[in-house]
Every structure is written in C-alpha cells, then in structure tokens.
Amino acid sequence: MKKIHKFGMTAACTAIAAGALWLCFGEKIKILHTSLRSFKDENLAYTFQHTPEIQPTKKISRGNDPFQFLKEENVSLADGFRFKGGFYPTEGFLEDTKTSALLVVKDDVIKYEKYFYGGDPQTLFSSNSMGKSFVSALMGIAVAEGAVESIEDPIGMYVPEFAGTDLESIPIRACLQMASGIDFNEDTDMSRFSMRTLMGTPSMKVIADHGVQEEPYTHRRYQSINTEILGQIIKNATGRSLAEYMEEKLWKRIGAEQDAYWTLSNGTELAMGGLSVSLRDYARFARLYLNGGSFHGEQILTKEWVRDSMDVSAAYSRPGANQDVYNAIGYGYQWWVPEGDRGEFMAIGVYGQWMYADPSRQIIIVKTSADPDFMSQDYELKHVDFFRAIAGGLL
C-alpha cells in the first residue's frame, strides 16, 4: 500500500507540475508544435502561403493608392541556362526547386507571372530571410530621419541589454554587413536561440550571453541574430514596433497593393525573417531600390543608403570572402550582391525565396519556393545564372 500510495503521490505531483507548465507555457508549446509540423517537407508549400493563419502575426496595412504594373501575356522564358558545363532546362529547374510562384517584371511591365501549389496574385508568401532586406530599409529610414544617429554608433547605445558586455561597442554597420564578430553559429545555435526566446527570455538577453569571437569586420559570418539586433535598435530608437514603423514609413509609401503581415515571436516581430507579402509587392519593394530609393518623386530611401547597401568592396563583403561556400555571393547591408559589373542585387530566404534585380536591364524577378533541398551544393549560384538567363532572354 505504501508503494502504491507513493506512486500515486508521485503521479499526482507530476500531473500538477505538468499542469502548471501548461498554464505557464501551454500556448507557447502549442505554437512550437505547430511550427515543427508546419516545417515538415510535405507541408512547406502550404505553410509558406498561409503563415498568417498558422502563426501569430501583426498586420501592416497598405495605402490607398497602389502602384500598378502593366501586364502582358506571359512571354516565353529562356529555354534554360548553363552552369559549370551542364545545361538546366527552365521547366525542369522550376519543378526541381519546388517553385511556388515566379514573377518577371521589365520596365514596370509584368512579362511573366505563374503560380503553383494553389497560389495566385493575392497569396501572401513567406519571406523567410528576404525579410532582412526590409529591416535594412527601415534602418536606412531611421538614420535619415535622425532616430538613429549613425550606423557607426555602437549597438550598446541603443540596446540596454548589451551595456557592460563584450557586444556593447560593436558598430551597427557591422551587424548590417554580417561582420559583427558575435560568437554565434547559425547552424548549431539557432535552435537553442529560438527555444529560449519562445519560452520568454528576451532575445537581446539571449544574444548578449553569446559574447564575441573576434573583432568586428574581421570576417563575414551569416548570423540572423545580427538582424534581430537591427530590429531592436529600430524599435528602441523610434519607439515604434517594426510593423507600425514599416506601415507608416515604407508600406503606405511604395504603392503596395495588399496588406502584409509580420510574424511574432514571443509577442514581438521576428526581424530575421517573418514577413508575408504578395509576389507583386515583393517586386514593388525591389523596384524602390531599382529606382534609387525614390517612388513617384519622393525620396523614401536616400540615394546614398541604396548605393551603400550594395557596396561589397570590403574584403569581408566580397563574393568568395573567407573562402567560405556560404559567402560565394557578396553581401552589403542585408542584401546579396553577385559577382559582376551589372549592379545586380538579391534578397534570399531559406527554402528558396528570391528577389533579384538588374538595374542595367530594369528587370525584377521574384521566385518563391518550398524546396527542402535549398542547402544543396551551388544552389544559390545556380539561381544567379538562372535569373541572368531569364533577364538576358528579355532583351
């Protein structure tokens, strides 16, 4: 009887503890479970087209006067492209990379637009890390308006959690260029970071615990936490949430056609990549940079910010920096810059999300995907040649 009583007491205590845990973290555990299920390979296409229905988000309202691209019947795209001695047919490449939508715009005219997996022009597609480029734009606006004094300022000037830590003196510019020197590994540390923040630890506190591994500007290391820091700086400096700031300063000013949504993590916007945006609105955002930061004569981003955002002249920013396969493409202020002299720039998100622009040809290409093989060898470089083949075929 004593053993039975002891077992019963243990079970009761376990049940009470589990109940208390559920009361404290139940909603967060549900979100975690939903996220894990959503990112199974077979669910990716649905997830990336329905994120605002799956995750908590904050709405970013469009303005009242959307800019309209002209629209033509779909042109014939290039048959394919060559890469490292091989030929990749366009249709096969689109299928193999699990393309969910493809949009090609030249001189403000939609030349090609096609949706897969049930999408359409009203579908909002997950940005994943393409969202980093939007955060960069918001930083540019915050600097231009004086909320942030300078990107040479130390991040500890705007983030109290960094005061007295090794991170305190890192310049904002170093975070923009993924050269902060923070001791964080994107592959091995991200899961723990996500779990701790989901369970309530402030993201800046989690980042501060990592310390630094080298002086800023020593190497370029892709770390999404750099963008989280930029997002926090914008919020602290402006006194606005990222969604609110983006709605007023960017979304209502570039002629966006649809509302966008920003995914929330522990109640705050996921700066590293949580936007849901329509394909054409991604193109409208890229168009802002294509036009030197101007929209209908209004300078939303300074010309200098747009120019500097694509500057990859520093050794750590250049294509092939560190002889690292992850750095095969150059990196500016949260924008990727391919090797070459055409002035091309790109935003890239995991699982195959792309914004590509070629100012010399006035071409914008947006490609969204649900590709679990996005980490395969030469994946990004193949896409660069694919986009160049499409752009070249429209001349």
Side-chain angles (χ1 to χ4, degrees):
M1 289 294 293
K2 289 185 178 180
K3 289 184 178 180
I4 295 174
H5 179 69
K6 184 176 180 181
F7 174 79
M9 289 295 292
T10 302
C13 290
T14 301
I16 292 170
L21 183 65
W22 181 257
L23 286 174
C24 294
F25 300 110
E27 191 61 33
K28 295 175 180 179
I29 292 171
K30 284 168 61 179
I31 292 172
L32 176 61
H33 175 71
T34 299
S35 297
L36 292 174
R37 186 177 67 233
S38 298
F39 279 84
K40 289 185 177 180
D41 290 355
E42 63 271 21
N43 296 332
L44 289 175
Y46 181 88
T47 295
F48 294 157
Q49 296 183 38
H50 297 86
T51 297
E53 303 165 28
I54 298 171
Q55 299 284 3
T57 56
K58 191 163 187 175
K59 182 179 176 181
I60 303 166
S61 298
R62 64 180 178 85
N64 297 320
D65 187 21
F67 168 78
Q68 298 294 343
F69 292 110
L70 297 177
K71 179 77 164 67
E72 294 181 353
E73 292 296 320
N74 281 354
V75 301
S76 296
L77 300 178
D79 291 339
F81 65 99
R82 295 195 174 278
F83 181 81
K84 290 189 174 180
F87 182 77
Y88 296 82
T90 293
E91 290 300 321
F93 185 72
L94 293 175
E95 183 177 351
D96 290 344
T97 56
K98 307 297 188 298
T99 304
S100 56
L102 181 67
L103 175 69
V104 181
V105 179
K106 178 174 172 58
D107 296 321
D108 289 339
V109 178
I110 295 175
K111 297 288 188 177
Y112 185 93
E113 186 176 27
K114 191 171 182 179
Y115 297 85
F116 310 85
Y117 301 114
D120 60 38
Q122 284 70 52
T123 300
L124 304 183
F125 294 89
S126 293
S127 70
N128 296 338
S129 287
M130 287 199 300
K132 291 178 169 66
S133 301
F134 289 82
V135 174
S136 176
L138 297 181
M139 178 61 74
I141 294 170
V143 170
E145 295 189 343
V148 174
E149 293 182 17
S150 169
I151 59 172
E152 307 306 334
D153 289 342
I155 59 178
M157 182 174 169
Y158 299 91
V159 183
E161 291 88 343
F162 296 155
T165 73
D166 291 340
L167 280 67
E168 183 176 22
S169 61
I170 296 172
I172 295 172
R173 183 194 299 272
C175 293
L176 280 164
Q177 296 178 316
M178 294 290 181
S180 64
I182 298 174
D183 188 9
F184 186 91
N185 186 296
E186 188 83 355
D187 296 329
T188 59
D189 293 329
M190 183 53 69
S191 295
R192 184 168 178 266
F193 171 84
S194 299
M195 183 64 70
R196 288 186 66 189
T197 54
L198 176 64
M199 292 304 169
T201 305
S203 59
M204 296 302 106
K205 171 61 178 173
V206 178
I207 293 170
D209 289 344
H210 280 273
V212 299
Q213 61 181 322
E214 61 204 9
E215 290 294 316
Y217 308 122
T218 303
H219 294 294
R220 168 162 51 108
R221 303 184 193 278
Y222 188 86
Q223 300 168 332
S224 292
I225 58 168
N226 284 305
T227 317
E228 286 297 297
I229 293 170
L230 298 175
Q232 191 67 49
I233 290 171
I234 293 167
K235 287 185 282 189
N236 290 351
T238 65
R240 311 283 297 281
S241 73
L242 288 179
E244 292 168 345
Y245 197 64
M246 177 167 160
E247 178 178 288
E248 178 188 350
K249 302 296 184 180
L250 187 65
W251 212 235
K252 289 187 172 182
R253 300 171 71 191
I254 65 169
E257 185 176 24
Q258 296 190 66
D259 299 333
Y261 290 83
W262 210 317
T263 301
L264 302 178
S265 174
N266 199 30
T268 191
E269 293 91 337
L270 189 66
M272 67 176 68
L275 286 169
S276 289
V277 175
S278 75
L279 215 66
R280 293 183 185 182
D281 281 341
Y282 280 124
R284 289 178 175 92
F285 175 64
R287 180 179 181 270
L288 178 66
Y289 278 80
L290 206 65
N291 292 332
S294 175
F295 178 76
H296 287 181
E298 179 186 9
Q299 204 67 41
I300 297 172
L301 297 169
T302 67
K303 293 180 180 178
E304 292 76 18
W305 183 264
V306 173
R307 179 199 64 208
D308 294 346
S309 293
M310 311 306 166
D311 182 4
V312 294
S313 59
Y316 55 84
S317 296
R318 295 171 189 159
N322 311 350
Q323 296 182 334
D324 186 337
V325 293
Y326 291 107
N327 293 340
I329 301 173
Y331 200 79
Y333 293 174
Q334 309 281 293
W335 286 94
W336 296 90
V337 181
E339 191 166 17
D341 57 4
R342 305 194 67 88
E344 304 152 291
F345 56 90
M346 303 188 302
I348 305 175
V350 292
Y351 296 100
Q353 323 313 320
W354 303 85
M355 283 186 286
Y356 166 91
D358 181 347
S360 68
R361 292 168 170 164
Q362 285 295 296
I363 285 176
I364 299 167
I365 301 172
V366 184
K367 179 181 183 288
T368 56
S369 317
D371 189 1
D373 295 324
F374 71 97
M375 290 293 288
S376 61
Q377 185 175 3
D378 293 327
Y379 189 82
E380 294 176 347
L381 292 177
K382 282 181 185 176
H383 273 81
V384 172
D385 282 4
F386 170 64
F387 296 139
R388 287 173 172 171
I390 292 177
L394 294 180
L395 293 181

